[in-house]
């Protein structure tokens, strides 16, 4: 159960404080945040420290995997982004957490520059990530594309793969199921598909 971004707003911070008082039998709590910022170390980055302070069972960290976003949005060299991913993941693993790496815009990034997108996942894998999650952040990927990409990734990566689909094309459920059929081991979704823009993969359809 992903409880939000620790420190992003008061409600998210309160959630992680309150959920620790609950006895959970079948669920684990996840916290969500970005990789460290450029020019900062994980130990000095307030984003990363808030993530640790949440004391969640699983830390889900997203990072840039589309070269376009690295050079244009972050305005940093491609190699620096790889170091940001690796150092963030390895630091959190050293703290004893289960860590998932969400490849933001991974599927678009893979289609644009597969070599670099894979390098991002390899950096997270080298850092000790417990799972690598392919994100269809724009919601424009088709099921057969996801199947092909996952099959290709499994020849290079050893870390289990997950899927995170948005519903802009009305295919979030279909894409999630295609990913599992191709070898993904987890699905990130929401109840009734509620989420930003057109929504996320609908767990009420996927679970049954």
């Amino acid at each position: 159960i992903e409880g939000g971004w620790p420190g992003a707003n008061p409600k998210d911070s309160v959630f992680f404080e309150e959920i620790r008082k609950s006895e959970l039998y079948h669920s684990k709590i996840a916290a969500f945040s970005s990789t460290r910022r450029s020019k900062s170390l994980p130990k000095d980055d307030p984003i990363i420290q808030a993530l640790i302070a949440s004391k969640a069972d699983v830390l889900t960290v997203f990072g840039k995997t589309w070269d376009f976003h690295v050079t244009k949005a972050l305005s940093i060299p491609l190699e620096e982004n790889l170091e940001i991913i690796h150092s963030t993941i390895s630091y959190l693993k050293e703290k004893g957490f289960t860590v998932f790496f969400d490849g933001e815009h991974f599927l678009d990034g893979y289609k644009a520059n597969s070599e670099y997108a894979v390098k991002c996942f390899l950096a997270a894998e080298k850092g000790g990530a417990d799972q690598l999650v392919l994100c269809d952040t724009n919601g424009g990927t088709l099921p057969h594309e996801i199947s092909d990409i996952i099959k290709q990734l499994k020849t290079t990566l050893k870390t289990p793969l997950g899927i995170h689909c948005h519903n802009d094309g009305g295919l979030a459920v279909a894409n999630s199921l295609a990913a599992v059929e191709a070898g993904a081991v987890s699905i990130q979704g929401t109840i009734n598909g509620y989420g930003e823009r057109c929504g996320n993969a609908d767990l009420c359809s996927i679970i049954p």
Side-chain angles (χ1 to χ4, degrees), residues 5-205:
W5 188 322
N9 60 66
K11 285 184 179 180
D12 285 24
S13 299
V14 169
F15 171 83
F16 289 105
E17 293 174 6
E18 292 298 317
I19 197 65
R20 289 186 215 128
K21 304 172 186 176
S22 300
E23 189 171 3
L24 303 177
Y25 298 97
H26 304 291
S27 303
K28 291 187 177 182
I29 299 300
F32 175 82
S33 184
S34 68
T35 53
R36 70 168 175 85
R37 294 170 297 183
S38 177
K39 313 303 182 187
S40 70
L41 296 173
K43 67 181 181 68
D44 301 319
D45 195 309
I47 293 174
I48 302 303
Q49 293 308 311
L51 199 59
I52 292 171
S54 74
K55 298 182 181 178
D57 302 301
V58 180
L59 304 183
T60 303
V61 178
F62 75 89
K64 303 294 187 188
T65 55
W66 189 355
D67 59 351
F68 172 75
H69 285 155
V70 176
T71 57
K72 299 300 181 183
L74 296 182
S75 299
I76 62 173
L78 295 177
E79 287 299 319
E80 182 180 349
N81 182 57
L82 298 179
E83 172 54 27
I84 286 173
I85 294 170
H86 176 267
S87 62
T88 300
I89 301 298
S90 61
Y91 178 78
L92 295 175
K93 287 301 299 178
E94 289 170 3
K95 296 294 182 180
F97 290 96
T98 297
V99 182
F100 287 7
F101 177 68
D102 278 16
E104 186 184 24
H105 291 278
F106 179 85
L107 291 160
D108 286 314
Y110 187 91
K111 287 185 277 186
N113 184 343
S114 60
E115 181 181 0
Y116 184 72
V118 170
K119 282 184 178 180
C120 292
F121 267 4
L122 287 170
E125 183 172 79
K126 186 177 179 181
D130 296 283
Q131 193 169 126
L132 305 172
V133 181
L134 292 73
C135 297
D136 189 24
T137 312
N138 280 339
T141 308
L142 300 173
H144 74 274
E145 293 178 297
I146 288 180
S147 297
D148 291 343
I149 290 171
I150 287 180
K151 288 173 183 176
Q152 292 166 22
L153 291 174
K154 285 178 69 67
T155 66
T156 305
L157 301 165
K158 298 177 182 178
T159 305
L161 302 175
I163 189 71
H164 174 110
C165 293
H166 290 248
N167 204 40
D168 300 65
L171 293 169
V173 170
N175 283 341
S176 299
L177 297 178
V180 171
E181 187 175 18
V185 300
S186 76
I187 295 171
Q188 293 181 359
T190 61
I191 297 300
N192 291 320
Y194 289 134
E196 60 186 320
R197 301 192 316 277
C198 299
N200 297 81
D202 184 358
L203 293 177
C204 293
S205 295

